[in-house]
Amino acid sequence: MKYKFSRSLKLNYASVGDYIKASKAVTIELEATKSHLKDSWLSGDQYYKTKYGGPKRTVEQFWKWFKVSLLDFVWGNGESLWRLVRFNLIIFSLLTLYDIFKKSVSQLNVLEIFEVFLIKVPSNYFGIIIKQGDQNYFEYYPNWLSLLLVITRLVCFGLLMSIIIKKYNRR
């Protein structure tokens, strides 16, 4: 009910041109969807047992909930630029940790760690090659990690464009 009501509110707000309230209605709609999907695979209520009973349907509902939750975490399902920035900062943190353990912990100090986190890792993530001597600083990355970073960068750029177009398309 909450999902249907918020969807109706979103359409009503959008039709009168109040896109700020329409965005709030979308947020409520997404939370209601997430809550329903979580209850559909986890709840012991009779309604959910009858409608989504059985292991196959439970796994299907879990998978739907997982996808919605993951997309909500990564970019707020298109509603939050901050979540996309947070996701990229988490990637930078993981890559910094990888760098610390790969380059030996004893040689790094706090300033070097900040330099890696704030300059070297973002530069590599965005495709700028940093030289250390005559070789690439991130030469030690395995091929699968480099490929994963390129794919992640392209997907995040697409998500950013989607957020920007969505926000400015309404005006």
Side-chain angles (χ1 to χ4, degrees):
M1 295 295 276
K2 188 176 183 180
Y3 167 80
K4 289 181 181 179
F5 179 69
S6 61
R7 188 167 184 80
S8 175
L9 270 179
K10 175 186 77 171
L11 294 173
N12 288 342
Y13 284 136
S15 69
V16 296
D18 192 352
Y19 294 106
I20 294 171
K21 289 183 181 174
S23 289
K24 288 180 183 178
V26 167
T27 304
I28 294 169
E29 178 184 356
L30 290 170
E31 286 302 316
T33 301
K34 218 162 74 168
S35 174
H36 167 71
L37 290 173
K38 183 179 179 184
D39 288 342
S40 70
W41 71 271
L42 193 61
S43 178
D45 290 348
Q46 187 61 35
Y47 170 77
Y48 293 111
K49 282 183 181 179
T50 304
K51 187 162 182 158
Y52 303 107
K56 182 181 178 209
R57 293 181 92 184
T58 302
V59 169
E60 287 173 357
Q61 291 303 110
F62 169 76
W63 184 245
K64 287 179 186 177
W65 170 80
F66 178 75
K67 290 189 298 186
V68 168
S69 297
L70 181 65
L71 289 175
D72 185 50
F73 175 77
V74 170
W75 72 312
N77 289 304
E79 294 296 318
S80 177
L81 178 61
W82 166 245
R83 289 187 185 182
L84 186 59
V85 170
R86 179 191 65 187
F87 177 70
N88 281 290
L89 288 174
I90 290 170
I91 292 172
F92 294 169
S93 300
L94 293 173
L95 291 173
T96 301
L97 287 173
Y98 184 79
D99 185 73
I100 289 170
F101 290 115
K102 203 69 172 170
K103 292 272 187 176
S104 84
V105 179
S106 62
Q107 296 175 355
L108 294 174
N109 63 24
V110 175
L111 292 176
E112 287 182 46
I113 292 172
F114 278 123
E115 180 186 11
V116 168
F117 178 75
L118 295 174
I119 297 170
K120 291 182 178 177
V121 167
S123 296
N124 184 51
Y125 183 76
F126 292 114
I128 300 170
I129 297 174
I130 296 178
K131 297 283 187 181
Q132 186 175 24
D134 60 344
Q135 62 182 346
N136 182 357
Y137 181 82
F138 292 100
E139 187 175 86
Y140 62 90
Y141 276 10
N143 289 336
W144 65 267
L145 181 58
S146 296
L147 176 65
L148 185 65
L149 288 176
V150 169
I151 291 169
T152 304
R153 178 178 65 220
L154 291 174
V155 168
C156 286
F157 183 73
L159 295 176
L160 175 65
M161 289 297 107
S162 177
I163 290 172
I164 291 171
I165 289 169
K166 184 177 181 182
K167 294 293 181 186
Y168 290 110
N169 189 30
R170 296 177 181 158
R171 292 180 172 82

